[in-house]
Amino acid sequence: MTTLQRVQAVALAVLQTAAAVFMMIDPDDGFYVIAAIMSISLLLLGVRLIWYYFTLAIHMVGGRKMFYFGVLLLDFGMFVLSLDDIPRIWVLLYLLVTHAFSGMVELLRIREARHSGGRVSKLLLTLGIANILTALLCIVFIRSTRAAVYIYSAGLIYGAVIRIINAVRETRIIFIE
């Protein structure tokens, strides 16, 4: 990781923390901030995947899946952005699915590393467990909008801490002569 990338990661972590604190101060407006963040992130990810398809994946086997997935994310992001009053349960379901999926992916990565005899990162283990616990909290508080804002804010703060840890951690490079 270059010095510029480290500075960018820390700056993004500071912005994440500021957004989380703003949402915790005013949870009623925080819901709309969550919806805006969700729709903008889906739009950006969709555009990024479509750009990736046209620049590189067009020549790859199965690259068309990237294009379809990018169009689907772009469409879903525009749909969420166009809604005037989003049903609040959808935001909790979005949080539930994303945290459960990312938690399971982290735990499966750890399982694969153990199976192949590699080192298991304690940071990845805590990240996976935290994501699974966040998904469970979303299930418990499925009807509470304030709880959704607090859960999302806590997730943003936790993600910011992990981003800062990764930015200041020494990068290991293996040289083969």
PDB file of all heavy atoms in Angstrom, residues 67-90:
ATOM      1  N   PHE A  67     -20.935  -7.753 -16.434  1.00  0.00           N
ATOM      2  CA  PHE A  67     -21.774  -6.747 -17.061  1.00  0.00           C
ATOM      3  C   PHE A  67     -23.203  -6.839 -16.548  1.00  0.00           C
ATOM      4  O   PHE A  67     -23.808  -5.829 -16.171  1.00  0.00           O
ATOM      5  CB  PHE A  67     -21.733  -6.907 -18.583  1.00  0.00           C
ATOM      6  CG  PHE A  67     -22.624  -5.941 -19.313  1.00  0.00           C
ATOM      7  CD1 PHE A  67     -22.285  -4.598 -19.385  1.00  0.00           C
ATOM      8  CD2 PHE A  67     -23.786  -6.373 -19.913  1.00  0.00           C
ATOM      9  CE1 PHE A  67     -23.106  -3.702 -20.051  1.00  0.00           C
ATOM     10  CE2 PHE A  67     -24.604  -5.493 -20.578  1.00  0.00           C
ATOM     11  CZ  PHE A  67     -24.268  -4.150 -20.650  1.00  0.00           C
ATOM     12  N   TYR A  68     -23.751  -8.048 -16.505  1.00  0.00           N
ATOM     13  CA  TYR A  68     -25.125  -8.217 -16.033  1.00  0.00           C
ATOM     14  C   TYR A  68     -25.269  -7.807 -14.573  1.00  0.00           C
ATOM     15  O   TYR A  68     -26.239  -7.166 -14.186  1.00  0.00           O
ATOM     16  CB  TYR A  68     -25.589  -9.667 -16.213  1.00  0.00           C
ATOM     17  CG  TYR A  68     -25.712 -10.092 -17.649  1.00  0.00           C
ATOM     18  CD1 TYR A  68     -25.417 -11.389 -18.030  1.00  0.00           C
ATOM     19  CD2 TYR A  68     -26.115  -9.200 -18.635  1.00  0.00           C
ATOM     20  CE1 TYR A  68     -25.525 -11.794 -19.343  1.00  0.00           C
ATOM     21  CE2 TYR A  68     -26.219  -9.594 -19.960  1.00  0.00           C
ATOM     22  CZ  TYR A  68     -25.935 -10.893 -20.304  1.00  0.00           C
ATOM     23  OH  TYR A  68     -26.035 -11.289 -21.598  1.00  0.00           O
ATOM     24  N   PHE A  69     -24.300  -8.187 -13.768  1.00  0.00           N
ATOM     25  CA  PHE A  69     -24.342  -7.827 -12.349  1.00  0.00           C
ATOM     26  C   PHE A  69     -24.221  -6.316 -12.170  1.00  0.00           C
ATOM     27  O   PHE A  69     -24.897  -5.723 -11.339  1.00  0.00           O
ATOM     28  CB  PHE A  69     -23.232  -8.566 -11.593  1.00  0.00           C
ATOM     29  CG  PHE A  69     -23.369  -8.513 -10.110  1.00  0.00           C
ATOM     30  CD1 PHE A  69     -24.487  -9.015  -9.472  1.00  0.00           C
ATOM     31  CD2 PHE A  69     -22.367  -7.945  -9.341  1.00  0.00           C
ATOM     32  CE1 PHE A  69     -24.612  -8.959  -8.106  1.00  0.00           C
ATOM     33  CE2 PHE A  69     -22.477  -7.883  -7.971  1.00  0.00           C
ATOM     34  CZ  PHE A  69     -23.604  -8.391  -7.351  1.00  0.00           C
ATOM     35  N   GLY A  70     -23.371  -5.670 -12.969  1.00  0.00           N
ATOM     36  CA  GLY A  70     -23.234  -4.217 -12.916  1.00  0.00           C
ATOM     37  C   GLY A  70     -24.513  -3.511 -13.319  1.00  0.00           C
ATOM     38  O   GLY A  70     -24.926  -2.531 -12.679  1.00  0.00           O
ATOM     39  N   VAL A  71     -25.167  -3.990 -14.375  1.00  0.00           N
ATOM     40  CA  VAL A  71     -26.437  -3.392 -14.803  1.00  0.00           C
ATOM     41  C   VAL A  71     -27.503  -3.596 -13.734  1.00  0.00           C
ATOM     42  O   VAL A  71     -28.288  -2.684 -13.442  1.00  0.00           O
ATOM     43  CB  VAL A  71     -26.880  -3.979 -16.166  1.00  0.00           C
ATOM     44  CG1 VAL A  71     -28.305  -3.594 -16.501  1.00  0.00           C
ATOM     45  CG2 VAL A  71     -25.937  -3.527 -17.258  1.00  0.00           C
ATOM     46  N   LEU A  72     -27.527  -4.764 -13.109  1.00  0.00           N
ATOM     47  CA  LEU A  72     -28.500  -5.042 -12.060  1.00  0.00           C
ATOM     48  C   LEU A  72     -28.282  -4.117 -10.852  1.00  0.00           C
ATOM     49  O   LEU A  72     -29.248  -3.542 -10.319  1.00  0.00           O
ATOM     50  CB  LEU A  72     -28.404  -6.503 -11.629  1.00  0.00           C
ATOM     51  CG  LEU A  72     -29.404  -6.978 -10.589  1.00  0.00           C
ATOM     52  CD1 LEU A  72     -30.803  -6.995 -11.194  1.00  0.00           C
ATOM     53  CD2 LEU A  72     -29.035  -8.347 -10.082  1.00  0.00           C
ATOM     54  N   LEU A  73     -27.030  -3.946 -10.428  1.00  0.00           N
ATOM     55  CA  LEU A  73     -26.741  -3.054  -9.309  1.00  0.00           C
ATOM     56  C   LEU A  73     -27.052  -1.604  -9.650  1.00  0.00           C
ATOM     57  O   LEU A  73     -27.581  -0.865  -8.820  1.00  0.00           O
ATOM     58  CB  LEU A  73     -25.282  -3.192  -8.880  1.00  0.00           C
ATOM     59  CG  LEU A  73     -24.926  -4.459  -8.125  1.00  0.00           C
ATOM     60  CD1 LEU A  73     -23.432  -4.486  -7.843  1.00  0.00           C
ATOM     61  CD2 LEU A  73     -25.707  -4.589  -6.856  1.00  0.00           C
ATOM     62  N   LEU A  74     -26.731  -1.184 -10.860  1.00  0.00           N
ATOM     63  CA  LEU A  74     -27.034   0.169 -11.304  1.00  0.00           C
ATOM     64  C   LEU A  74     -28.540   0.412 -11.312  1.00  0.00           C
ATOM     65  O   LEU A  74     -29.019   1.446 -10.845  1.00  0.00           O
ATOM     66  CB  LEU A  74     -26.440   0.402 -12.689  1.00  0.00           C
ATOM     67  CG  LEU A  74     -26.493   1.811 -13.248  1.00  0.00           C
ATOM     68  CD1 LEU A  74     -25.598   2.721 -12.426  1.00  0.00           C
ATOM     69  CD2 LEU A  74     -26.061   1.815 -14.694  1.00  0.00           C
ATOM     70  N   ASP A  75     -29.289  -0.565 -11.793  1.00  0.00           N
ATOM     71  CA  ASP A  75     -30.747  -0.451 -11.829  1.00  0.00           C
ATOM     72  C   ASP A  75     -31.331  -0.404 -10.418  1.00  0.00           C
ATOM     73  O   ASP A  75     -32.209   0.419 -10.116  1.00  0.00           O
ATOM     74  CB  ASP A  75     -31.330  -1.633 -12.603  1.00  0.00           C
ATOM     75  CG  ASP A  75     -32.819  -1.507 -12.813  1.00  0.00           C
ATOM     76  OD1 ASP A  75     -33.281  -0.389 -13.099  1.00  0.00           O
ATOM     77  OD2 ASP A  75     -33.519  -2.542 -12.717  1.00  0.00           O
ATOM     78  N   PHE A  76     -30.834  -1.244  -9.531  1.00  0.00           N
ATOM     79  CA  PHE A  76     -31.339  -1.256  -8.163  1.00  0.00           C
ATOM     80  C   PHE A  76     -30.992   0.041  -7.437  1.00  0.00           C
ATOM     81  O   PHE A  76     -31.800   0.576  -6.682  1.00  0.00           O
ATOM     82  CB  PHE A  76     -30.795  -2.467  -7.397  1.00  0.00           C
ATOM     83  CG  PHE A  76     -31.415  -2.650  -6.053  1.00  0.00           C
ATOM     84  CD1 PHE A  76     -32.761  -2.938  -5.914  1.00  0.00           C
ATOM     85  CD2 PHE A  76     -30.653  -2.520  -4.903  1.00  0.00           C
ATOM     86  CE1 PHE A  76     -33.338  -3.092  -4.681  1.00  0.00           C
ATOM     87  CE2 PHE A  76     -31.217  -2.680  -3.658  1.00  0.00           C
ATOM     88  CZ  PHE A  76     -32.563  -2.972  -3.549  1.00  0.00           C
ATOM     89  N   GLY A  77     -29.790   0.564  -7.686  1.00  0.00           N
ATOM     90  CA  GLY A  77     -29.397   1.834  -7.083  1.00  0.00           C
ATOM     91  C   GLY A  77     -30.269   2.983  -7.555  1.00  0.00           C
ATOM     92  O   GLY A  77     -30.674   3.842  -6.764  1.00  0.00           O
ATOM     93  N   MET A  78     -30.591   3.017  -8.858  1.00  0.00           N
ATOM     94  CA  MET A  78     -31.475   4.068  -9.376  1.00  0.00           C
ATOM     95  C   MET A  78     -32.889   3.913  -8.831  1.00  0.00           C
ATOM     96  O   MET A  78     -33.562   4.895  -8.554  1.00  0.00           O
ATOM     97  CB  MET A  78     -31.487   4.046 -10.907  1.00  0.00           C
ATOM     98  CG  MET A  78     -30.231   4.616 -11.514  1.00  0.00           C
ATOM     99  SD  MET A  78     -30.318   4.861 -13.294  1.00  0.00           S
ATOM    100  CE  MET A  78     -30.319   3.197 -13.888  1.00  0.00           C
ATOM    101  N   PHE A  79     -33.331   2.671  -8.653  1.00  0.00           N
ATOM    102  CA  PHE A  79     -34.659   2.427  -8.095  1.00  0.00           C
ATOM    103  C   PHE A  79     -34.757   2.940  -6.662  1.00  0.00           C
ATOM    104  O   PHE A  79     -35.714   3.630  -6.299  1.00  0.00           O
ATOM    105  CB  PHE A  79     -34.994   0.938  -8.157  1.00  0.00           C
ATOM    106  CG  PHE A  79     -36.272   0.571  -7.482  1.00  0.00           C
ATOM    107  CD1 PHE A  79     -37.488   0.956  -8.028  1.00  0.00           C
ATOM    108  CD2 PHE A  79     -36.266  -0.150  -6.303  1.00  0.00           C
ATOM    109  CE1 PHE A  79     -38.677   0.622  -7.401  1.00  0.00           C
ATOM    110  CE2 PHE A  79     -37.435  -0.477  -5.672  1.00  0.00           C
ATOM    111  CZ  PHE A  79     -38.653  -0.099  -6.221  1.00  0.00           C
ATOM    112  N   VAL A  80     -33.766   2.623  -5.850  1.00  0.00           N
ATOM    113  CA  VAL A  80     -33.771   3.078  -4.458  1.00  0.00           C
ATOM    114  C   VAL A  80     -33.671   4.594  -4.387  1.00  0.00           C
ATOM    115  O   VAL A  80     -34.323   5.241  -3.571  1.00  0.00           O
ATOM    116  CB  VAL A  80     -32.638   2.390  -3.662  1.00  0.00           C
ATOM    117  CG1 VAL A  80     -32.467   3.007  -2.291  1.00  0.00           C
ATOM    118  CG2 VAL A  80     -32.901   0.906  -3.534  1.00  0.00           C
ATOM    119  N   LEU A  81     -32.870   5.188  -5.268  1.00  0.00           N
ATOM    120  CA  LEU A  81     -32.708   6.633  -5.289  1.00  0.00           C
ATOM    121  C   LEU A  81     -33.989   7.351  -5.714  1.00  0.00           C
ATOM    122  O   LEU A  81     -34.274   8.453  -5.260  1.00  0.00           O
ATOM    123  CB  LEU A  81     -31.554   7.018  -6.215  1.00  0.00           C
ATOM    124  CG  LEU A  81     -31.029   8.434  -6.147  1.00  0.00           C
ATOM    125  CD1 LEU A  81     -30.498   8.726  -4.750  1.00  0.00           C
ATOM    126  CD2 LEU A  81     -29.938   8.654  -7.172  1.00  0.00           C
ATOM    127  N   SER A  82     -34.791   6.700  -6.556  1.00  0.00           N
ATOM    128  CA  SER A  82     -36.005   7.334  -7.052  1.00  0.00           C
ATOM    129  C   SER A  82     -37.180   7.255  -6.079  1.00  0.00           C
ATOM    130  O   SER A  82     -38.162   7.975  -6.255  1.00  0.00           O
ATOM    131  CB  SER A  82     -36.416   6.713  -8.388  1.00  0.00           C
ATOM    132  OG  SER A  82     -36.864   5.388  -8.188  1.00  0.00           O
ATOM    133  N   LEU A  83     -37.102   6.410  -5.088  1.00  0.00           N
ATOM    134  CA  LEU A  83     -38.205   6.276  -4.142  1.00  0.00           C
ATOM    135  C   LEU A  83     -38.257   7.485  -3.213  1.00  0.00           C
ATOM    136  O   LEU A  83     -37.239   7.924  -2.697  1.00  0.00           O
ATOM    137  CB  LEU A  83     -38.050   5.011  -3.300  1.00  0.00           C
ATOM    138  CG  LEU A  83     -38.227   3.687  -4.034  1.00  0.00           C
ATOM    139  CD1 LEU A  83     -37.938   2.541  -3.083  1.00  0.00           C
ATOM    140  CD2 LEU A  83     -39.621   3.546  -4.596  1.00  0.00           C
ATOM    141  N   ASP A  84     -39.442   8.016  -3.031  1.00  0.00           N
ATOM    142  CA  ASP A  84     -39.610   9.140  -2.114  1.00  0.00           C
ATOM    143  C   ASP A  84     -39.660   8.668  -0.666  1.00  0.00           C
ATOM    144  O   ASP A  84     -39.053   9.248   0.213  1.00  0.00           O
ATOM    145  CB  ASP A  84     -40.898   9.908  -2.428  1.00  0.00           C
ATOM    146  CG  ASP A  84     -40.784  10.671  -3.732  1.00  0.00           C
ATOM    147  OD1 ASP A  84     -39.647  10.963  -4.136  1.00  0.00           O
ATOM    148  OD2 ASP A  84     -41.828  10.959  -4.327  1.00  0.00           O
ATOM    149  N   ASP A  85     -40.404   7.629  -0.417  1.00  0.00           N
ATOM    150  CA  ASP A  85     -40.528   7.108   0.938  1.00  0.00           C
ATOM    151  C   ASP A  85     -40.228   5.610   0.906  1.00  0.00           C
ATOM    152  O   ASP A  85     -41.069   4.808   0.505  1.00  0.00           O
ATOM    153  CB  ASP A  85     -41.936   7.360   1.484  1.00  0.00           C
ATOM    154  CG  ASP A  85     -42.042   7.035   2.960  1.00  0.00           C
ATOM    155  OD1 ASP A  85     -41.013   7.097   3.651  1.00  0.00           O
ATOM    156  OD2 ASP A  85     -43.158   6.714   3.408  1.00  0.00           O
ATOM    157  N   ILE A  86     -39.023   5.272   1.303  1.00  0.00           N
ATOM    158  CA  ILE A  86     -38.591   3.880   1.269  1.00  0.00           C
ATOM    159  C   ILE A  86     -39.197   3.143   2.461  1.00  0.00           C
ATOM    160  O   ILE A  86     -39.131   3.637   3.589  1.00  0.00           O
ATOM    161  CB  ILE A  86     -37.056   3.791   1.341  1.00  0.00           C
ATOM    162  CG1 ILE A  86     -36.441   4.518   0.171  1.00  0.00           C
ATOM    163  CG2 ILE A  86     -36.581   2.360   1.377  1.00  0.00           C
ATOM    164  CD1 ILE A  86     -34.946   4.656   0.260  1.00  0.00           C
ATOM    165  N   PRO A  87     -39.800   1.971   2.220  1.00  0.00           N
ATOM    166  CA  PRO A  87     -40.245   1.178   3.363  1.00  0.00           C
ATOM    167  C   PRO A  87     -39.041   0.848   4.250  1.00  0.00           C
ATOM    168  O   PRO A  87     -38.020   0.367   3.774  1.00  0.00           O
ATOM    169  CB  PRO A  87     -40.828  -0.083   2.724  1.00  0.00           C
ATOM    170  CG  PRO A  87     -41.146   0.303   1.335  1.00  0.00           C
ATOM    171  CD  PRO A  87     -40.157   1.360   0.953  1.00  0.00           C
ATOM    172  N   ARG A  88     -39.171   1.143   5.500  1.00  0.00           N
ATOM    173  CA  ARG A  88     -38.019   1.054   6.406  1.00  0.00           C
ATOM    174  C   ARG A  88     -37.526  -0.369   6.624  1.00  0.00           C
ATOM    175  O   ARG A  88     -36.371  -0.574   6.943  1.00  0.00           O
ATOM    176  CB  ARG A  88     -38.371   1.713   7.732  1.00  0.00           C
ATOM    177  CG  ARG A  88     -38.603   3.195   7.521  1.00  0.00           C
ATOM    178  CD  ARG A  88     -39.085   3.882   8.771  1.00  0.00           C
ATOM    179  NE  ARG A  88     -39.429   5.269   8.461  1.00  0.00           N
ATOM    180  CZ  ARG A  88     -38.669   6.296   8.762  1.00  0.00           C
ATOM    181  NH1 ARG A  88     -37.544   6.117   9.397  1.00  0.00           N
ATOM    182  NH2 ARG A  88     -39.040   7.505   8.445  1.00  0.00           N
ATOM    183  N   ILE A  89     -38.393  -1.332   6.419  1.00  0.00           N
ATOM    184  CA  ILE A  89     -37.962  -2.713   6.617  1.00  0.00           C
ATOM    185  C   ILE A  89     -36.957  -3.127   5.536  1.00  0.00           C
ATOM    186  O   ILE A  89     -36.103  -3.979   5.762  1.00  0.00           O
ATOM    187  CB  ILE A  89     -39.169  -3.673   6.670  1.00  0.00           C
ATOM    188  CG1 ILE A  89     -38.740  -4.997   7.275  1.00  0.00           C
ATOM    189  CG2 ILE A  89     -39.789  -3.850   5.308  1.00  0.00           C
ATOM    190  CD1 ILE A  89     -39.870  -5.836   7.754  1.00  0.00           C
ATOM    191  N   TRP A  90     -37.010  -2.495   4.361  1.00  0.00           N
ATOM    192  CA  TRP A  90     -36.068  -2.819   3.303  1.00  0.00           C
ATOM    193  C   TRP A  90     -34.634  -2.469   3.686  1.00  0.00           C
ATOM    194  O   TRP A  90     -33.694  -3.175   3.314  1.00  0.00           O
ATOM    195  CB  TRP A  90     -36.444  -2.117   2.001  1.00  0.00           C
ATOM    196  CG  TRP A  90     -37.630  -2.740   1.347  1.00  0.00           C
ATOM    197  CD1 TRP A  90     -38.901  -2.248   1.333  1.00  0.00           C
ATOM    198  CD2 TRP A  90     -37.665  -3.989   0.663  1.00  0.00           C
ATOM    199  NE1 TRP A  90     -39.716  -3.113   0.667  1.00  0.00           N
ATOM    200  CE2 TRP A  90     -38.994  -4.198   0.242  1.00  0.00           C
ATOM    201  CE3 TRP A  90     -36.720  -4.951   0.364  1.00  0.00           C
ATOM    202  CZ2 TRP A  90     -39.378  -5.313  -0.465  1.00  0.00           C
ATOM    203  CZ3 TRP A  90     -37.111  -6.073  -0.339  1.00  0.00           C
ATOM    204  CH2 TRP A  90     -38.424  -6.242  -0.744  1.00  0.00           C
TER     205      TRP A  90
END
